[in-house]
Amino acid sequence: HVKLGDNFTAYSLFKAMKKRDCFPDVVTYNAIIHCLCKEGFLGTAIKMFESMETDGCIPNVVTYSSLLHGFLKLGRLRSAYTLFQRMEKIGIKPDAHVYCILIDGFGRFGKLGHALRFLDQMKREGCPRNSVIYNSLIGSFIKMGRVQEAARFFYEMSHNELAPDVFTFSILIGSCGNCGLPNEAYQIFRRMTENGYKPDAYVYTALINSFGKAGQPNRAWQLFEEMKAHGCAPNVATYNSLINYLGKAGQTDEAYKLFEEMAERNCTPDLFTFSTLMDIFGKARNIRASCALFNQLKTRGLVPNAFVYNIHIQNLWRAGELKMACDVFHEMQTVRCAPDAVIFNTMIGVLVEAGDTNAAILLYEEMTEGGLRPN
RNA sequence: AACGCGAUGAUAUC
């Protein structure tokens, strides 16, 4: 069940087995801690970790790596570091997996010094590096603008007889796209194919997105067709990216046709798809279409998040439906979707435009008291 | 005893 991503069933079974005095072992605990961390229930995961001992289970390196991953995903770097030290202190030797998690986790929050220190420690301990480590380092260093060092890691990889893999190329192509360098992204793409690497949907999506972002949606579309011609099936992210940039370029009909094509190709639209289309139609002043999409996503069993609500509220605002915008803001809270800072920004705008400055000030206070930072 | 558990890449809003 954990492997299938059915964390809820996994957790129920775990509780059922404890109720019947069937005691979980380390592996079972590890699986459940892993899925709790993945679902964001870090507190429960920690409680599990602490109750392991009473069940006579001794946490092992896998237990620690799951928890470290849980902390780092939430950006709790300090707690992760403390846990890592505790693990070493009780004599559990960190393996390559643990270092991957640490280097990736610290790196993605810009703590490159820490990432480098972990890499160093790995080397000192004779723990072999793998491509996951280098891919993480390359990604984080590029993101922080330290491209020269990222390039050094790329070459260091080969020295360790680690060939770059499809992950490495997708990081490089995606980074070029983020920097507004679609032609460079394409050069890397060509080089990887010339060297016998088979680009997958992630690579194509990164490439298509690079051209879309650079204001060349039709070039992106052309690559999308090439992708299909080469037998690589576009996935939901590929469609989402292309729909987004066609829409942003004002080609709303084409964007909607792609949405319809998804159904023909058994590609299930997700929240990204709907929010992208809702935004496109809202900005094209087609409030009916955007509201229809909002209803459709719900009937399809998707649960709107703060992102989707924000687009919906903004569209209503643009259409002059200030009352409805306020109603939706309240609706989201009754369905336990916590508004984020962006939503508060939007709603403050709505209330000011509605002439209700007092309510806007109250919302501002609600926002700051809720621990959200005004931006 | 064996088996089972952990890591890196793409897409949406102000």
Side-chain angles (χ1 to χ4, degrees), chain A residues 175-252:
Chain A
S175 302
C176 289
N178 285 335
C179 298
L181 301 168
N183 297 321
E184 286 73 5
Y186 189 72
Q187 274 177 29
I188 293 170
F189 173 78
R190 253 195 21 209
R191 230 174 87 180
M192 78 175 276
T193 50
E194 280 165 8
N195 283 294
Y197 290 92
K198 197 172 157 53
D200 64 7
Y202 280 71
V203 169
Y204 272 111
T205 305
L207 187 63
I208 287 166
N209 196 56
S210 304
F211 282 98
K213 196 189 180 88
Q216 303 182 46
N218 291 315
R219 176 84 180 100
W221 204 346
Q222 183 193 339
L223 288 162
F224 175 75
E225 295 301 337
E226 269 175 43
M227 169 185 188
K228 291 195 274 194
H230 282 87
C232 182
N235 64 19
V236 58
T238 322
Y239 278 103
N240 292 346
S241 172
L242 195 53
I243 287 172
N244 181 33
Y245 288 112
L246 285 172
K248 284 202 168 41
Q251 309 188 34
T252 45

Side-chain angles (χ1 to χ4, degrees), chain A residues 249-265:
Chain A
Q251 309 188 34
T252 45
D253 292 345
E254 287 83 353
Y256 197 77
K257 277 195 196 105
L258 279 175
F259 173 62
E260 290 172 327
E261 181 183 313
M262 291 176 78
E264 292 161 22
R265 300 179 70 106

Side-chain angles (χ1 to χ4, degrees), chain A residues 97-303:
Chain A
H97 251 98
V98 170
Y99 283 115
C100 284
I101 290 165
L102 290 168
I103 289 172
D104 181 68
F106 279 84
R108 78 171 58 246
F109 284 95
K111 301 293 177 200
L112 304 185
H114 286 82
L116 287 176
R117 253 169 277 147
F118 289 125
L119 181 70
D120 237 38
Q121 187 176 343
M122 263 189 111
K123 290 179 179 169
R124 276 201 313 276
E125 292 173 357
C127 181
R129 270 79 64 213
N130 56 31
S131 55
V132 176
I133 301 266
Y134 284 103
N135 289 343
S136 292
L137 285 167
I138 290 169
S140 326
F141 273 77
I142 295 179
K143 208 179 337 177
M144 297 303 287
R146 291 166 67 170
V147 182
Q148 293 292 332
E149 287 150 286
R152 268 209 295 282
F153 286 124
F154 185 79
Y155 294 114
E156 192 178 317
M157 260 179 116
S158 343
H159 279 172
N160 285 296
E161 295 180 349
L162 295 169
D165 56 16
V166 181
F167 280 65
T168 322
F169 288 111
S170 102
I171 291 166
L172 296 177
I173 291 169
S175 302
C176 289
N178 285 335
C179 298
L181 301 168
N183 297 321
E184 286 73 5
Y186 189 72
Q187 274 177 29
I188 293 170
F189 173 78
R190 253 195 21 209
R191 230 174 87 180
M192 78 175 276
T193 50
E194 280 165 8
N195 283 294
Y197 290 92
K198 197 172 157 53
D200 64 7
Y202 280 71
V203 169
Y204 272 111
T205 305
L207 187 63
I208 287 166
N209 196 56
S210 304
F211 282 98
K213 196 189 180 88
Q216 303 182 46
N218 291 315
R219 176 84 180 100
W221 204 346
Q222 183 193 339
L223 288 162
F224 175 75
E225 295 301 337
E226 269 175 43
M227 169 185 188
K228 291 195 274 194
H230 282 87
C232 182
N235 64 19
V236 58
T238 322
Y239 278 103
N240 292 346
S241 172
L242 195 53
I243 287 172
N244 181 33
Y245 288 112
L246 285 172
K248 284 202 168 41
Q251 309 188 34
T252 45
D253 292 345
E254 287 83 353
Y256 197 77
K257 277 195 196 105
L258 279 175
F259 173 62
E260 290 172 327
E261 181 183 313
M262 291 176 78
E264 292 161 22
R265 300 179 70 106
N266 283 325
C267 185
T268 313
D270 61 8
L271 278 185
F272 278 62
T273 321
F274 283 103
S275 64
T276 305
L277 283 163
M278 283 171 61
D279 186 52
I280 290 171
F281 283 116
K283 285 177 179 157
R285 308 275 160 171
N286 188 345
I287 186 71
R288 292 192 66 84
S290 107
C291 287
L293 285 159
F294 182 68
N295 292 328
Q296 193 188 136
L297 80 89
K298 288 201 275 190
T299 55
R300 289 203 190 205
L302 291 170
V303 182

Side-chain angles (χ1 to χ4, degrees), chain A residues 304-311 332 337-340 343:
Chain A
N305 59 14
F307 215 107
V308 174
Y309 275 113
N310 187 54
I311 292 169
M332 71 179 284
C337 176
D340 60 12
I343 298 254

Side-chain angles (χ1 to χ4, degrees), chain A residues 335-369:
Chain A
V335 296
R336 305 192 102 91
C337 176
D340 60 12
V342 178
I343 298 254
F344 277 107
N345 291 346
T346 304
M347 280 313 296
I348 288 169
V350 170
L351 290 170
V352 170
E353 184 157 324
D356 199 344
T357 324
N358 287 328
I361 292 170
L362 281 176
L363 257 196
Y364 173 81
E365 283 164 2
E366 187 183 325
M367 168 182 185
T368 48
E369 277 160 22

